[in-house]
Amino acid sequence: MSEQEFELYLKLLSRCLNLTPGQREQIADELRDHLEARLEELAEAGVPREKAVVQALDEFGDAAILAGNFASVARLKRRRFFMRLSLGSVGALTAALLIAYAFWPENRAVRGPEHVVAQEKPSPGPPPAQKPTESKASPSPRPSELRGGLVQGSRPPVVEVCRPVTKKVTDDRIFSGLVQPSQFLQIQSQATGHLRAIHFRPGQAVKRGDLLFEIDPTIYLAEVDKAAAELARSQARLEYARTQFRRVQQSFKAHTVAPEELDKAASECRVAEADDQVARTTLELAKVRLSYTRITAAIDGHISRSSFGVGSLVRAEGSALATIVCLDPVCALINVDETTWFALRKRVRKGEFQGSEIPVDVDLLREGEPVRKALLEFVDDAAFDQGNSTTTSMRVRTPNADSGLVPGLGVHVRYATGKPHSGLLVPATAKAQGSAADGRRTVWVVDDDNRAQFRWVRIAPFPHEGGQLEITEGLKPDEWIACRGNDPHLKEGKQIEPKRVP
């Protein structure tokens, strides 16, 4: 290959790969080095110097023919472009510009060589199939190889790496739940009548026994008066029956009356006593019904807006007048799996906790909020949904004197399953795809030569705060690992450019 052919070949590569002048010079140096290396290989194989030069240049001969044909086709297409530009109208000019853009050498980097190769005539020299041994010994570089190896692959991919963090941690389980009031009360009227007064404001904190509603008591006062009159009449009858019984009893002792008269007097006395008891009970019921016209708070809490206004007709056991919720303490229901449930029961039976209440931590899903101490209660010991579910409900109760927890807020409940210890923590994203039958997982470790190495490690079953994973086996604190285990640039033994992150 002459110097002119070599320059033409470089021009072809520059157009195919859109190379800058600096990249073109770099590739020229690479090709010259490759020729020199090829000459040294042929010399070591015992080939004389002159034959070695001819053979090395012959390996690049096809590239020179390809460059010449490519240049001819480019000149032909430029002539067509100028003919269309001179003869076309405004519309034809626009179409010609589009064609020029499509056939411009910079856009012909991939299609041009393939088209030329398809039209190329066989070379008069020996076919490539007659020298397979030489191509296998040291294959000559091709444009595709130069594209991936010298230009695009000249710089290793950048991969973020980090070191494991040694930190004091505690093995725990985290459950999610929603804040609920510890008590919820719907106020319903047990009396029928017109609402006479409302003694609270919506959202007000009320205490047990505070008067909330008054219903018109006129009818119930009349019932009390009627029951009192019936009681007075029954008492008069009872007194008369007792007097008559004493008289008949004296006459019977004097043998002046028959025994039947004594029995009759005794029976009338017992009937009068029963009537008196009924009258007393009726009076008590009337008084209770009268008390229903004054509705008081049964628990401490915050009361909602009333569903009825003053003057509305309220019916007994009708719609709820208002609701009271207790927000100190508050609760949260969580679903606990069978394994955790049995472990909790075992610790309770060993006496590790006072009673059956287990201390836990509750934190809001908000930054800066303090962690609250709470107690975990067994509320549904036999609720595993008849074998259709592997979870049961447990209730968390926590003080809320500052009213920082309101119903509907999401919380995390953290239950410590072990004692504090020193752990090796890595980001959750560092875990790569792949798992073993014994529970091991994989990460990518970067060695001193900045090469990625596949590593099997053992990870604790549950993540810690912030989703960090604890490595219990297979990793050292001074090793660097890839922050993202699913990075497509990571391959076994592949060199990378590490970007260290905290």
Side-chain angles (χ1 to χ4, degrees):
M1 178 187 293
S2 64
E3 186 66 26
Q4 184 179 2
E5 292 174 338
F6 187 79
E7 290 297 328
L8 189 57
Y9 180 65
L10 287 178
K11 186 176 181 180
L12 168 65
L13 289 180
S14 299
R15 291 178 177 177
C16 289
L17 303 179
N18 296 326
L19 299 179
T20 62
Q23 293 174 336
R24 176 179 173 179
E25 292 298 327
Q26 181 181 0
I27 292 177
D29 294 339
E30 292 287 340
L31 291 177
R32 290 190 182 93
D33 293 342
H34 187 80
L35 287 173
E36 293 294 333
R38 182 60 177 154
L39 290 175
E40 292 178 1
E41 292 177 0
L42 294 175
E44 292 177 358
V47 180
R49 176 67 178 180
E50 295 180 357
K51 292 185 178 180
V53 172
V54 173
Q55 183 174 341
L57 292 176
D58 185 64
E59 292 177 359
F60 289 90
D62 294 339
I65 296 173
L66 181 64
N69 292 338
F70 178 83
S72 299
V73 173
R75 288 193 296 269
L76 178 60
K77 291 180 179 179
R78 286 192 180 93
R79 293 193 192 101
R80 294 177 180 175
F81 166 74
F82 287 113
M83 289 175 65
R84 291 190 182 94
L85 185 61
S86 61
L87 298 177
S89 60
V90 176
L93 178 60
T94 304
L97 289 174
L98 293 176
I99 295 173
Y101 178 80
F103 287 92
W104 196 256
E106 293 181 355
N107 299 323
R108 209 167 47 237
V110 177
R111 294 180 298 173
E114 295 177 356
H115 181 68
V116 173
V117 171
Q119 297 180 355
E120 181 183 0
K121 297 181 179 180
S123 175
Q130 294 179 0
K131 43 182 180 180
T133 306
E134 297 178 359
S135 61
K136 288 185 178 179
S138 178
S140 59
R142 295 179 175 84
S144 61
E145 296 177 356
L146 293 174
R147 181 192 295 267
L150 296 178
V151 180
Q152 295 182 354
S154 59
R155 181 180 178 183
V158 179
V159 177
E160 292 185 351
V161 298
C162 62
R163 272 183 175 171
V165 178
T166 303
K167 188 178 179 182
K168 203 78 171 180
V169 295
T170 303
D171 292 335
D172 50 25
R173 292 293 311 276
I174 299 178
F175 305 95
S176 298
L178 295 177
V179 176
Q180 298 178 351
S182 55
Q183 288 181 293
F184 181 86
L185 176 66
Q186 284 190 337
I187 303 175
Q188 288 186 333
S189 174
Q190 293 180 284
T192 299
H194 291 278
L195 198 58
R196 191 174 184 179
I198 299 176
H199 297 277
F200 66 88
R201 297 185 307 274
Q204 176 184 340
V206 296
K207 299 292 185 180
R208 183 176 181 178
D210 289 350
L211 180 62
L212 304 177
F213 298 95
E214 280 189 80
I215 299 175
D216 186 6
T218 304
I219 297 177
Y220 298 95
L221 286 173
E223 289 182 353
V224 170
D225 294 341
K226 179 181 178 181
E230 290 290 342
L231 177 60
R233 184 168 60 180
S234 65
Q235 288 177 343
R237 290 177 180 176
L238 176 60
E239 185 64 26
Y240 175 76
R242 287 175 177 175
T243 301
Q244 285 295 105
F245 175 72
R246 286 194 295 269
R247 290 174 182 174
V248 173
Q249 191 176 26
Q250 291 175 1
S251 299
F252 178 76
K253 292 179 179 179
H255 303 285
T256 57
V257 295
E260 291 81 1
E261 294 293 333
L262 181 62
D263 295 339
K264 181 179 179 182
S267 177
E268 290 177 352
C269 185
R270 288 194 295 273
V271 170
E273 289 176 351
D275 291 341
D276 181 72
Q277 186 62 37
V278 170
R280 291 178 184 276
T281 304
T282 303
L283 178 60
E284 291 298 326
L285 289 174
K287 291 181 179 180
V288 170
R289 294 191 184 98
L290 177 61
S291 68
Y292 290 160
T293 60
R294 294 173 59 87
I295 302 174
T296 58
I299 60 173
D300 298 343
H302 291 76
I303 190 168
S304 68
R305 180 177 62 87
S306 174
S307 303
F308 296 85
V310 176
S312 300
L313 177 62
V314 177
R315 299 187 181 276
E317 300 180 358
S319 301
L321 301 179
T323 57
I324 299 177
V325 293
C326 181
L327 300 180
D328 186 20
V330 292
C331 297
L333 285 179
I334 61 175
N335 291 328
V336 179
D337 57 87
E338 292 180 356
T339 303
T340 304
W341 186 85
F342 281 109
L344 289 172
R345 296 293 293 181
K346 185 177 181 180
R347 295 184 67 180
V348 169
R349 290 171 183 173
K350 287 183 178 180
E352 296 185 21
F353 313 108
Q354 295 181 357
S356 60
E357 296 179 338
I358 302 162
V360 295
D361 293 333
V362 174
D363 54 12
L364 284 171
L365 307 181
R366 303 287 188 279
E367 294 184 0
E369 291 292 335
V371 177
R372 300 170 183 261
K373 300 299 180 181
L375 294 175
L376 188 64
E377 302 173 341
F378 287 87
V379 297
D380 210 356
D381 288 352
F384 280 101
D385 197 14
Q386 299 180 358
N388 296 328
S389 176
T390 58
T391 61
T392 186
S393 297
M394 298 187 71
R395 187 175 70 170
V396 179
R397 179 166 48 88
T398 179
N400 189 35
D402 60 349
S403 300
L405 299 177
V406 296
L409 285 180
V411 294
H412 279 162
V413 179
R414 189 181 301 273
Y415 157 62
T417 60
K419 297 181 180 180
H421 63 278
S422 179
L424 204 63
L425 304 181
V426 300
T429 56
K431 183 174 59 175
Q433 294 182 354
S435 60
D438 57 356
R440 292 181 301 164
R441 303 303 294 266
T442 57
V443 296
W444 287 98
V445 180
V446 180
D447 59 14
D448 296 336
D449 296 332
N450 295 334
R451 295 186 181 276
Q453 302 292 335
F454 204 60
R455 179 78 62 83
W456 288 97
V457 296
R458 196 174 297 277
I459 300 177
F462 302 108
H464 293 283
E465 184 177 0
Q468 292 182 312
L469 304 178
E470 180 183 358
I471 305 297
T472 60
E473 181 183 333
L475 192 64
K476 296 180 181 179
D478 58 347
E479 292 184 301
W480 292 91
I481 65 172
C483 297
R484 292 189 295 272
N486 59 352
D487 194 322
H489 297 107
L490 294 172
K491 295 182 181 180
E492 181 68 22
K494 182 178 180 179
Q495 191 170 15
I496 65 170
E497 182 178 339
K499 179 182 179 182
R500 298 181 179 181
V501 296

